[in-house]
Amino acid sequence: MTKGPGAPAAAHPGRPAAAVPAVWNIANMLTMLRLLLVPVFVSLLFADGGHDPKWRSVAWASFAIAMITDLFDGELARRKGLVTDFGKIADPIADKAIMGSALIGLSLLGDLPWWVTAVILARELGITLMRFWVIRYGVIPASRGGKIKTLTQGIAVGMYVLELTGWLATARAVLMALAVLLTVGTALDYVGQALRMRREGLAAERAGR
C-alpha cells in the first residue's frame, strides 16, 4: 500500500535510524543532582546561625560538588550524543540556581556586599534575556572569556562560603573583584555580539524582500 504524503518515510534499508537520547541519561542526572543540591547547600550555609566554620566547610563541599557537575554534564552530553531538550532547559536553570543561592545567601549573612550580588545576577539575567531577543537570528556562543568568568566566579564564591581569615580572606576579595570585572567585561562583549547579530539579521531580512 502506498503511504500518503503525511505518513513517515520508511527507513532506508541497511541504515539504522538515529537514536534519540533518553531523558534520564548520565548528563541529565548530573544536572538534576545539581538542582537537588541547591536546597541542601542553602540549609548547610545557614546552619547554626550561618557562621559556624564546620557547617560552612560542609556547605562548601556541597557547593564544590555542584560546580564539578557543571563542568561535566554539558561536556558528557556533547561527547556522548546525550543532548536533550530537557538538558538544554534544566542545565542553565541549575547553574543560575546554585550560583544565585550562594550569592544571595552570602549577602544575607553579611559576608558579601549586596552590590556584588546585584551586578552578577543582573548580568546573568540580562544575558539570558538578550539571547532570547536575538534567537531568531542565531545563537550567541559561549566565549572563552565567559568560561573564564564562570570559573573565576565559582572559585571566588566558594572561598566566600568558607570562613577564611588573614591573607586568604584578602585573596578571595581580590579574586571576587576580578570576577566582577570579568562579569562586566564579558557582558559588554555579549551585548556587542547581540547587536551585531540583530543588525545583520535585519539587513538580511530586508535584502530578501
Side-chain angles (χ1 to χ4, degrees), residues 32-42 61-67 69 98 101:
M32 287 302 299
L33 174 61
R34 190 156 71 259
L35 280 169
L36 292 173
L37 280 172
V38 173
V40 174
F41 164 73
V42 172
S62 66
F63 180 80
I65 292 172
M67 291 294 99
T69 65
I98 189 67
S101 63

Side-chain angles (χ1 to χ4, degrees), residues 94-179:
D95 295 345
K96 290 171 178 55
I98 189 67
M99 183 59 70
S101 63
L103 291 166
I104 293 173
L106 289 168
S107 292
L108 286 172
L109 290 170
D111 293 332
L112 186 67
W114 274 106
W115 70 266
V116 173
T117 295
V119 167
I120 294 177
L121 293 184
R123 186 266 189 199
E124 297 303 324
L125 177 60
I127 295 301
T128 299
L129 294 175
M130 190 178 61
R131 287 179 187 275
F132 283 109
W133 182 53
V134 299
I135 196 169
R136 62 179 293 187
Y137 306 112
V139 176
I140 303 175
S143 65
R144 175 172 294 185
K147 294 177 181 178
I148 295 174
K149 178 270 303 179
T150 300
L151 179 61
T152 306
Q153 276 184 7
I155 296 174
V157 170
M159 292 180 72
Y160 269 87
V161 171
L162 292 169
E163 288 284 309
L164 301 179
T165 58
W167 71 270
L168 285 174
T170 302
R172 73 181 181 183
V174 172
L175 193 61
M176 182 58 78
L178 176 59

